Amino acid sequence: MERAAALVLFSAGQDSSTCLAWALSRYERVETVGFAYGQRHAVELDQRPRVLAALRGVDPKWALRLGADQVIDISTFGALADSALTADRAIEMQANGLPSTFVPGRNLVFLAYAAALAYRRGLGVLVGGMCETDYSGYPDCRRETLDAMERALQLGLDAPLVVETPLMRLTKAETWGLAQALGGDPLVDLIVESTHTCYEGDRTHRHAWGYGCGACPACDLRRLGWEQWRAA
Ligand code: ZN
């Protein structure tokens, strides 16, 4: 497996698009993988080729480095992991302190599939947008969880696969700042215009920070991060 080649878990959201730019600035060969797991909204899947095409336009080097994209259908997982993202349920806080958007073990499943693909493609690094800082305490976003998963994958594949999480300690404001540092205004504009974060799948309302309903928890996080970054 090549240490200079990465597979990015890419959903066409703000975080994973920033991670993809991070990987493109650092690795010689970069591929992307996404997962169709029965989301209520296919908006993310619609945006993904648009974000990829736009990223190729930000930097000629990125265009050379960015390779194949693959979307894996794991709708059976979505069916068993009943939650607000995959079923027609309200987004609310549950008695266990986790929002109903929490899909149990989602990142572990994603990483297992991604690792199998990376192994076949000779890609030695997995890159994911998991973040402990601003999120809702999703246990599978913690670095401790990912360290354990990385070790399990290394043992299970008998290969030195690395799991990189460049956003782990960043606030949402700092994630906007990272995009600025990696690709300047063209990358920030691309993320505003083409990436999708809103849980409600709204792409009709355009705000300074991008498209979205403006009211769901994902829109709140994105808007607050934008405002904090712009005010800094
Ligand atoms: Zn929203």
Side-chain angles (χ1 to χ4, degrees):
M1 300 178 105
E2 288 179 55
R3 297 304 293 266
L7 179 64
V8 180
L9 280 71
F10 172 66
S11 71
Q14 177 188 353
D15 289 349
S16 67
S17 298
T18 304
C19 282
L20 179 50
W22 179 87
L24 287 168
S25 68
R26 166 174 305 241
Y27 301 106
E28 290 163 18
R29 187 159 70 91
V30 177
E31 299 188 10
T32 47
V33 63
F35 299 95
Y37 57 101
Q39 296 99 324
R40 288 189 300 181
H41 308 292
V43 173
E44 288 183 359
L45 294 177
D46 290 344
Q47 287 307 114
R48 112 185 250 113
R50 296 181 187 135
V51 175
L52 291 171
L55 277 169
R56 289 186 170 92
V58 171
D59 186 326
K61 191 171 68 183
W62 293 4
L64 289 172
R65 291 178 165 185
L66 183 54
D69 177 46
Q70 188 156 338
V71 175
I72 300 173
D73 181 351
I74 54 168
S75 47
T76 48
F77 176 68
L80 72 86
D82 171 42
S83 85
L85 285 190
T86 53
D88 194 14
R89 274 171 53 183
I91 295 167
E92 59 195 14
M93 203 56 77
Q94 301 178 139
N96 63 3
L98 289 170
S100 56
T101 48
F102 174 63
V103 180
R106 176 172 60 175
N107 284 318
L108 304 181
V109 173
F110 286 0
L111 285 166
Y113 274 90
L117 179 60
Y119 186 94
R120 286 288 184 215
R121 305 285 298 171
L123 306 164
V125 184
L126 296 180
V127 181
M130 302 80 168
C131 170
E132 287 185 0
T133 313
D134 265 349
Y135 277 9
S136 320
Y138 291 6
D140 59 340
C141 287
R142 291 186 303 219
R143 187 62 226 190
E144 187 182 3
T145 303
L146 299 173
D147 283 340
M149 188 68 183
E150 179 182 69
R151 185 74 187 125
L153 292 171
Q154 288 169 352
L155 289 169
L157 299 174
D158 194 21
L161 189 68
V162 173
V163 178
E164 292 282 2
T165 51
L167 309 186
M168 184 56 70
R169 312 282 178 213
L170 302 188
T171 65
K172 280 289 185 188
E174 289 168 335
T175 299
W176 285 108
L178 176 60
Q180 177 76 50
L182 289 167
D185 288 343
L187 181 59
V188 172
D189 293 347
L190 180 169
I191 287 171
V192 168
E193 191 61 31
S194 298
T195 69
H196 186 83
T197 307
C198 174
Y199 285 146
E200 299 295 338
D202 185 326
R203 288 201 68 78
T204 56
H205 297 95
R206 171 66 151 81
H207 315 268
W209 42 267
Y211 290 92
C213 71
C216 75
C219 281
D220 272 347
L221 271 180
R222 181 160 163 154
R223 176 180 53 78
L224 281 171
W226 172 267
E227 288 172 356
Q228 286 165 6
W229 176 58
R230 299 295 280 190

